[in-house]
Amino acid sequence: PKEGKKRPRGEYNNTPSNATSAPSVGGGMGKKDRLGGTLVAPLKQFGQNFLKNPMVVQSIVEKSEIRSSDVVLEIGPGTGNLTVELLKRAKKVICVEFDRRMVREVLKRVEGTSVAGKLQVIHGDVLKVALPYFDVCVANIPYNISSPLLFKLLKHRPFYRSAVIMFQEEFAMRLTAKPGEELYCRLTVNTQLLARVDHLIKVGRNNFRPPPKVDSRVVRIVLRNPPPPINFMEWDGLVRLLFNRKHKTLHALLCTKAVLKMLETNYKTFKSLEAKGPSVMGPREALQAEPAPSSAVGGLLGAAPMSFLGTTSNGEEVDVGDRHGDVDNLWESPGPRQAGKSSEENFLVKGLVEEICSMEQFEGMRSARMDQDDILSLLDVFNAVASIFAEVLGPSIISVATELWSGMFSTKGGFPAPPP
């Protein structure tokens, strides 16, 4: 307003009633909230929603089970409501914050206090910066980075004790979904392969400033140590296929012309990169054989052969391979149906896929009802003969998967890194 004129009532009061007089950009001091923090206006472009309920803050800290010797990584400290409580319990708190205003705000919050020396703030994008060593991660994150941040934490080494993170409620429910549930998806199986996830508390939308459109949940993530000894590129390629249409049967998913053509191409790549040609074997022999050696495309990383035993109606275990007749000729010459080398390889891959999908443990099975053991069993049967799923990822994704795979198995005392 011009000098000498009264400012219209509420002209600059666009924030919620419990967060008035906040500076819009400058990050200066304003009124204090119930936790003693200054009220800086959250920016929608950064997906900022500040946690304002002190009871929820206290509950998150207690559920984190922080020890006095712990180094805590906090992602997105905001105005420092959670940071102040973490500093009271931890040996050191390292915050990663993208918004420069919040960096100043959280430093100002502890300036001159006895815990100021325990705080380190990194200004940068958490998805791009190299994360330091930490024992526990605590985060109230913008929901638009939930998935990439989750997988960055899943591949982080060295191992940390746990990560306590607040996610959008539906995203959090997907992490713990069970086979057969509507939310069961590729995110579910990939996360549960690498970590154990537990729900801690539900947080209503009115506990934030400004309130988001959905409720939230706090989950605890504990990495599986050691990680499962599998080729992650092959795993992710198969899972992408399975959950493309998760309510279809395996036969309907894997025996389409497009998928068979892609698998044929991958099989040719596998054969061309093999140091030695594999011995001819059918799925029955593949079930009983040692895992195929690792190659540039795939193979298990020295894992012991998995057991593929089916069960009768009486609960008695039987060897699945012995219950499907003579499948020894699957990889032999297809006879009159072949028309040159390309059609022969196409026939071989098609025959392999159809034979495996018709096995009793996989027949009629749908991705939506397959648990982790079912998917691992299916992958191991295929990989015992050839690695044919890695190229499903596409060139750009393969580099990411290779990085993840390298990080998972190149740790001290862990499994060997993938071949170059």
Side-chain angles (χ1 to χ4, degrees), residues 35-89:
L35 290 170
T38 55
L39 299 172
V40 178
L43 294 181
K44 188 176 182 180
Q45 67 196 71
F46 293 155
Q48 291 175 339
N49 299 93
F50 299 144
L51 186 59
K52 66 181 184 179
N53 189 333
M55 299 302 294
V56 175
V57 171
Q58 195 63 36
S59 181
I60 292 174
V61 174
E62 291 175 358
K63 298 288 185 180
S64 301
E65 300 177 351
I66 296 170
R67 304 167 187 169
S68 58
S69 58
D70 283 343
V71 175
V72 177
L73 174 69
E74 185 185 7
I75 301 171
T79 56
N81 291 341
L82 185 57
T83 311
V84 171
E85 296 300 319
L86 293 173
L87 285 168
K88 295 177 182 178
R89 303 193 179 208

Side-chain angles (χ1 to χ4, degrees), residues 6 40 47 53-54 67 83 111 287 330 359 415:
K6 269 192 172 181
V40 178
N53 189 333
R67 304 167 187 169
T83 311
E111 187 178 1
L287 288 172
L330 178 63
M359 290 181 172
F415 299 94

Side-chain angles (χ1 to χ4, degrees), residues 43-49 75-76 97-98 125-127 140-151 165-169 171-172 187 212-216:
L43 294 181
K44 188 176 182 180
Q45 67 196 71
F46 293 155
Q48 291 175 339
N49 299 93
I75 301 171
E97 176 58 64
F98 183 73
D125 186 345
V126 69
L127 300 179
N140 171 28
I141 62 172
Y143 294 150
N144 57 355
I145 66 167
S146 295
S147 189
L149 177 60
L150 172 63
F151 280 97
I165 307 178
M166 189 180 303
F167 290 119
Q168 179 180 337
E169 183 173 31
F171 187 92
L187 173 69
K213 296 180 180 179
V214 293
D215 292 334
S216 307

Side-chain angles (χ1 to χ4, degrees), residues 318-331:
V318 293
D319 189 340
V320 174
D322 293 333
R323 304 179 65 180
H324 295 87
D326 187 9
V327 295
D328 295 346
N329 296 326
L330 178 63
W331 289 90

Side-chain angles (χ1 to χ4, degrees), residues 231-297:
N231 181 335
F232 185 80
M233 290 184 290
E234 281 286 299
W235 163 272
D236 199 30
L238 174 60
V239 169
R240 282 172 182 265
L241 283 177
L242 294 182
F243 285 90
N244 187 35
R245 295 288 186 274
K246 66 178 183 179
H247 294 292
K248 287 190 174 183
T249 63
L250 293 182
H251 188 277
L253 276 172
L254 301 179
C255 292
T256 62
K257 289 182 179 180
V259 171
L260 288 174
K261 183 178 180 180
M262 178 183 58
L263 296 182
E264 175 194 358
T265 302
N266 296 346
Y267 174 68
K268 290 178 182 178
T269 304
F270 170 78
K271 295 289 286 185
S272 66
L273 293 176
E274 264 192 328
K276 295 181 181 179
S279 58
V280 174
M281 65 171 66
R284 183 170 66 185
E285 287 81 358
L287 288 172
Q288 300 168 348
E290 293 290 326
S294 299
S295 70
V297 188

